Amino acid sequence: MITDSNDKIKVLITDDHTLFRTGVKASLSHYPDIEFIGEAENGMQLLNLLKFLQPDVILLDIQMPIMDGIAALPEVKKVLPDSKIIMLTMNDDVSMISKLMEIGANSYLTKNSDSETIYEAIKTVHTKEYFFNEYTNKAILSGLKSRRVVEVPTSDDAELSDKELQVLKLMCDEKTTKEIADIVEISPRTVEAIRDRLKIKTGARSTAGLILYAVKHGIVEG
């Protein structure tokens, strides 16, 4: 079966180690729905590439010379707000993961992740916005316990309708907008409207914030 190039997920990798970039590209080369469209050695080079390229998913190393991943992340989101960003690191620092997800990261992987995990992360953030794993879940729960996660509102009085609660729970189950629309029997546009309304009511600024809110308030189990 031949995969149309328009159906492929366009990926760009940014890491200062040539061997690592080459290794990741080689390990994912047998997946027909992944297409690497570019690579960069640091955040500055990445931002220059984004003037010409529009990747769906960016693999972004945290520690790099000239401009590291932490500095590059918010700048990338300004230039390409719909891009999904998977942070790469050698460490599983919980406080760092919380910070990165607050400023726009869609997932967090250690560099020793196998090709199947990296592929699954790319596919999931592309279709469902976030890829949760043991590191991100630990960071979310730790952030909730220490109240460091700024996405979670301090107010407990958000009154959500049954339909809003249903949509929120489905979002936490990583359902896409279309899947939610089919399950609740409403239009995708209405799902988006409910999502916007949930953000206003809860004080969350993103889908991740809504998920954090749902965990903190017992709407779903963390």
Side-chain angles (χ1 to χ4, degrees):
M1 178 180 175
I2 299 175
T3 302
D4 190 292
S5 60
N6 292 329
D7 296 330
K8 292 185 177 182
I9 303 172
K10 296 178 176 61
V11 179
L12 194 156
I13 182 168
T14 303
D15 189 283
D16 58 321
H17 294 99
T18 304
L19 286 177
F20 179 76
R21 298 198 307 269
T22 302
V24 171
K25 290 190 295 180
S27 68
L28 296 178
S29 62
H30 64 284
Y31 293 103
D33 51 348
I34 299 293
E35 177 185 5
F36 278 92
I37 62 170
E39 56 185 282
E41 295 181 356
N42 56 66
M44 191 65 70
Q45 196 175 93
L46 168 63
L47 292 174
N48 286 330
L49 282 177
L50 294 184
K51 296 175 182 177
F52 312 100
L53 301 174
Q54 288 194 320
D56 299 309
V57 177
I58 298 171
L59 301 177
L60 181 60
D61 186 22
I62 288 180
Q63 294 181 316
M64 297 179 291
I66 302 177
M67 186 179 198
D68 64 22
I70 299 172
L73 174 58
E75 298 304 316
V76 171
K77 283 295 185 179
K78 290 177 187 175
V79 176
L80 212 61
D82 293 331
S83 66
K84 307 302 187 296
I85 302 178
I86 299 173
M87 306 302 295
L88 303 171
T89 182
M90 294 300 296
N91 306 308
D92 56 353
D93 184 342
V94 170
S95 61
M96 176 66 71
I97 298 171
S98 294
K99 176 183 177 182
L100 291 168
M101 294 193 76
E102 285 170 24
I103 62 177
N106 300 88
S107 192
Y108 184 102
L109 296 177
T110 56
K111 284 191 174 184
N112 59 6
S113 299
D114 57 35
S115 60
E116 187 175 344
T117 299
I118 298 174
Y119 172 72
E120 189 63 34
I122 291 172
K123 286 279 290 184
T124 303
V125 297
H126 179 58
T127 59
K128 299 182 179 181
E129 193 170 358
Y130 292 94
F131 175 73
F132 295 101
N133 54 28
E134 60 179 308
Y135 306 116
T136 56
N137 292 345
K138 189 189 299 182
I140 287 172
L141 293 175
S142 175
L144 290 173
K145 289 174 182 176
S146 64
R147 296 182 178 270
R148 283 197 304 255
V149 181
V150 298
E151 287 280 10
V152 181
T154 56
S155 173
D156 292 337
D157 58 3
E159 294 184 11
L160 306 182
S161 68
D162 290 341
K163 185 157 291 186
E164 287 169 344
L165 284 171
Q166 186 180 8
V167 168
L168 180 55
K169 288 177 182 178
L170 289 170
M171 288 171 61
C172 293
D173 287 337
E174 298 183 57
K175 300 296 184 185
T176 64
T177 297
K178 186 180 183 307
E179 288 171 337
I180 295 173
D182 291 341
I183 294 170
V184 185
E185 297 183 341
I186 55 180
S187 71
R189 189 182 293 271
T190 302
V191 173
E192 296 290 351
I194 291 175
R195 180 181 294 153
D196 290 340
R197 196 158 64 240
L198 283 167
K199 289 178 183 176
I200 293 171
K201 284 188 173 184
T202 63
R205 298 196 307 272
S206 66
T207 302
L210 287 173
I211 293 170
L212 293 171
Y213 178 91
V215 172
K216 180 176 185 289
H217 294 278
I219 296 171
V220 294
E221 292 184 5

